[in-house]
Amino acid sequence: MKRRTKRVIWLIVLVVLVVFTLVKCMEKDEEQPVAVVDKPVVTASKIEEPNKNDDFPELNALLADARLQGATTAISIRNAASGEVVYSHLGDIRVHPASVMKLLTGAAAFETLGTDYTFQTELYTDGKVQSGVLAGNLYLRGQGDPTLTKKELTAFVADLKAAGIQTIQGDIYGDDTWYDDVRFSQDLNWSDEPYYTGAQVSALTLSPNDDYDAGTVIVEITPAKKVGQAGYVGMVPANDYMTIVNKTQTVGKGGKKSIQVERQHGSNTLIVSGTIPAGAKKARSWASVWEPTNYTANIFKQAIEEQGIVFSTTPKLARRTVPKGATLLTSKQSMPLKELFIPFMKLSNNGHAELLVKEMGRVVGGDGSWDKGLAVMEATLADMGIDTTTLLLRDGSGMSHKNLVTADEVSKLLYNVQSKPWYPEFLQSLPVAGSNERFIGGTLRNRMEGTAAADNVQAKTGTLNGVSALSGYVKTANDETLIFSVMINNFLNDTTPEVLDAIAIAIANMQFN
């Protein structure tokens, strides 16, 4: 009985399996597509659009220059009226901008601070004046003014004399708390720090002349009267804050003029070396100072003594915040930002760029730091239509080798700013190719002379080791304005920037139907 039951169960299982298999086969047959004999299936081929770059053979030929081999050359050209990209080569690839970064910093500064924005420097005392004696300390409070010079400090002293002060019984303090006390941007190379291009950033700082290289001194070297003697070395302004080690030598009139000035790291000792021919004109070099706040206080003390005001004892010079209840004695406002933009952009002043970053941080974000300033700058650029997700902002000057931008976004910025009320001042600040006047041609004054780009190209330059960049505006042969951004990275040949100029000239020679 059990054997029969077992056989029946196996038979049922076999029947179920057969039925299940037949059903699946029928379903598969129903899913097969029905062939249509007179309408064969055709696979669509991709229709390629014409490459706009083919319309510019001159540019394409320049990109084949052997000096660009192994380098990255990013180009973006737009119609200034429509914003249309008419040529792009690696335009969306991130590259290092060098000082073209100042276009981004400058646009953000104009947008947040305004063209009429000024910086202020104030002089306070915590004492009283009686019978010509100031019994108390002086506090020089800086708010980032890069245009403060000894001339303005001397004017402060004149105000003290006008108030009847003849003697000071107290010390001199510099208040630089408008910004934080971080002196260098995060990626500044140690080898740049002794020079004016890497000067320390402080809210209280001093410039040697009207180029307004804040936090620097000018070192001047003139030949001695006799060959073989050391040259004469002086500073502008003259001071005892810096120490000169004179290793120069006067050589014959046919000799080589070669002077080097380097400040020893972490000190204010300047090593001046090299040769200067007899009868030669003086050589000049800019050097950064170590701790510009104390330097400014030192020059202020010097100005006081030069104007005949005496200290009852040798004053202490240090950093200290203006105390509550202190009396404002006098103050000075800088030129408006639209005027500062001339030396800033024309001469590519790194210090101005970094001060502007900190100023944006302080005024907009309440913190005079690079972190806050760069955050404000990035948000402002985003509001101006720039895709900041494809950028990396590490400083304001472009000295960092970690800054990353794209040529397409730079050209977009130059297009978008045309609608801003501050655009005329922005455009005026850009160097003009081949224009010999220093505050017109700026860093382009000796470039592209005698070409279609001369007195035409208005653009910001950028130079670092292995980086050469140029971005701005140009009129073509048929008077059409184009916006361009060209940035070459990772080149080795020192003459590669000539290719950059050739590209700008080629754009100036373009003709559109």
Side-chain angles (χ1 to χ4, degrees), residues 40-47:
V41 177
V42 178
T43 302
S45 61
K46 182 179 178 181
I47 300 175

Side-chain angles (χ1 to χ4, degrees), residues 86-316:
V86 298
Y87 186 95
S88 182
H89 176 78
L90 304 182
D92 60 348
I93 299 299
R94 284 182 284 273
V95 291
H96 305 305
S99 283
V100 162
M101 176 61 73
K102 294 182 177 74
L103 292 173
L104 285 70
T105 305
F110 265 163
E111 184 73 359
T112 56
L113 303 175
T115 58
D116 293 323
Y117 186 82
T118 58
F119 301 85
Q120 187 150 308
T121 305
E122 301 164 335
L123 181 62
Y124 290 85
T125 184
D126 58 5
K128 301 291 183 182
V129 179
Q130 189 173 7
S131 301
V133 177
L134 171 62
N137 302 308
L138 291 173
Y139 296 84
L140 196 58
R141 183 171 188 257
Q143 296 182 32
D145 184 4
T147 70
L148 189 69
T149 67
K150 187 179 178 181
K151 178 182 177 181
E152 282 71 41
L153 295 183
T154 301
F156 280 176
V157 178
D159 291 337
L160 295 180
K161 294 183 72 174
I165 297 173
Q166 299 172 352
T167 302
I168 298 173
Q169 293 178 344
D171 301 316
I172 298 176
Y173 295 105
D175 183 346
D176 57 15
T177 55
W178 184 251
Y179 299 154
D180 65 11
D181 59 1
V182 178
R183 297 297 190 226
F184 298 112
S185 57
Q186 56 194 328
D187 301 320
L188 187 76
N189 292 333
W190 69 268
S191 56
D192 291 318
E193 175 264 314
Y195 307 105
Y196 77 99
T197 51
Q200 295 185 20
V201 176
S202 170
L204 180 60
T205 189
L206 197 71
S207 293
N209 66 1
D210 291 348
D211 282 1
Y212 304 122
D213 289 297
T216 71
V217 294
I218 299 174
V219 180
E220 296 183 330
I221 305 94
T222 54
K225 294 180 180 179
K226 293 183 178 180
V227 172
Q229 293 180 334
Y232 301 111
V233 180
M235 287 182 286
V236 178
N239 68 89
D240 58 7
Y241 187 75
M242 314 287 288
T243 300
I244 296 289
V245 176
N246 187 353
K247 295 184 177 181
T248 64
Q249 184 180 30
T250 304
V251 296
K253 289 187 177 182
K256 184 178 181 181
K257 185 177 183 180
S258 176
I259 296 292
Q260 296 82 41
V261 178
E262 183 171 351
R263 180 174 53 76
Q264 291 183 331
H265 179 71
S267 75
N268 280 302
T269 299
L270 294 173
I271 309 299
V272 185
S273 59
T275 57
I276 186 166
K281 293 181 179 179
K282 66 183 175 184
R284 305 176 83 202
S285 182
W286 278 250
S288 65
V289 304
W290 186 265
E291 192 44 69
T293 299
N294 292 341
Y295 167 67
T296 305
N298 179 279
I299 298 297
F300 184 45
K301 169 184 173 289
Q302 178 181 306
I304 290 173
E305 293 173 331
E306 288 173 350
Q307 294 301 309
I309 297 177
V310 297
F311 291 91
S312 58
T313 59
T314 301
K316 177 182 178 182

Side-chain angles (χ1 to χ4, degrees), residues 186-454:
Q186 56 194 328
D187 301 320
L188 187 76
N189 292 333
W190 69 268
S191 56
D192 291 318
E193 175 264 314
Y195 307 105
Y196 77 99
T197 51
Q200 295 185 20
V201 176
S202 170
L204 180 60
T205 189
L206 197 71
S207 293
N209 66 1
D210 291 348
D211 282 1
Y212 304 122
D213 289 297
T216 71
V217 294
I218 299 174
V219 180
E220 296 183 330
I221 305 94
T222 54
K225 294 180 180 179
K226 293 183 178 180
V227 172
Q229 293 180 334
Y232 301 111
V233 180
M235 287 182 286
V236 178
N239 68 89
D240 58 7
Y241 187 75
M242 314 287 288
T243 300
I244 296 289
V245 176
N246 187 353
K247 295 184 177 181
T248 64
Q249 184 180 30
T250 304
V251 296
K253 289 187 177 182
K256 184 178 181 181
K257 185 177 183 180
S258 176
I259 296 292
Q260 296 82 41
V261 178
E262 183 171 351
R263 180 174 53 76
Q264 291 183 331
H265 179 71
S267 75
N268 280 302
T269 299
L270 294 173
I271 309 299
V272 185
S273 59
T275 57
I276 186 166
K281 293 181 179 179
K282 66 183 175 184
R284 305 176 83 202
S285 182
W286 278 250
S288 65
V289 304
W290 186 265
E291 192 44 69
T293 299
N294 292 341
Y295 167 67
T296 305
N298 179 279
I299 298 297
F300 184 45
K301 169 184 173 289
Q302 178 181 306
I304 290 173
E305 293 173 331
E306 288 173 350
Q307 294 301 309
I309 297 177
V310 297
F311 291 91
S312 58
T313 59
T314 301
K316 177 182 178 182
L317 304 178
R319 295 167 59 205
R320 183 180 291 183
T321 305
V322 175
K324 292 182 179 180
T327 302
L328 177 65
L329 296 174
T330 187
S331 64
K332 177 257 179 185
Q333 282 190 325
S334 72
M335 62 178 65
L337 195 56
K338 60 188 175 186
E339 294 180 19
L340 180 63
F341 258 54
I342 298 300
F344 166 41
M345 298 290 263
K346 297 283 190 185
L347 305 182
S348 199
N349 192 302
N350 292 337
H352 295 178
E354 306 305 351
L355 281 164
L356 288 172
V357 172
K358 287 201 171 190
E359 192 71 9
M360 286 187 279
R362 173 72 194 210
V363 173
V364 180
D367 181 12
S369 67
W370 267 290
D371 286 346
K372 180 60 69 173
L374 290 172
V376 170
M377 183 173 155
E378 183 172 335
T380 302
L381 292 170
D383 290 342
M384 294 170 66
I386 303 306
D387 182 7
T388 55
T389 64
T390 193
L391 311 180
L392 179 60
L393 310 181
R394 300 282 293 187
D395 66 13
S397 65
M399 284 290 283
S400 171
H401 280 269
K402 294 183 180 179
N403 286 317
L404 291 172
V405 304
T406 70
D408 282 345
E409 292 305 311
V410 173
S411 68
K412 184 197 295 185
L413 174 69
L414 293 173
Y415 171 73
N416 289 349
V417 300
Q418 293 177 115
S419 64
K420 297 293 181 179
W422 41 261
Y423 172 68
E425 290 85 0
F426 182 82
L427 180 64
Q428 184 184 17
S429 73
L430 299 180
V432 178
S435 181
N436 292 326
E437 171 57 42
R438 191 161 175 266
F439 283 106
I440 296 177
T443 53
L444 283 178
R445 61 187 180 276
N446 298 319
R447 291 170 59 175
M448 294 176 267
E449 295 174 294
T451 70

Side-chain angles (χ1 to χ4, degrees), residues 50-60 63 75-91 407-408 411-412 415 472 474-476 478 480-486 503 506-508 510-513:
N51 189 341
K52 289 182 180 180
N53 291 3
D54 292 341
D55 296 332
F56 304 97
E58 299 88 352
L59 293 181
N60 295 334
L63 286 173
I75 303 176
S76 179
I77 304 175
R78 293 179 187 266
N79 184 299
S82 67
E84 176 192 4
V85 176
V86 298
Y87 186 95
S88 182
H89 176 78
L90 304 182
D408 282 345
S411 68
K412 184 197 295 185
Y415 171 73
V474 60
K475 286 188 180 294
T476 64
N478 54 345
E480 183 170 358
T481 301
L482 294 179
I483 295 167
F484 68 95
S485 178
V486 185
I503 292 172
I507 298 172
M510 285 181 178
Q511 281 191 326
F512 291 86
N513 296 328

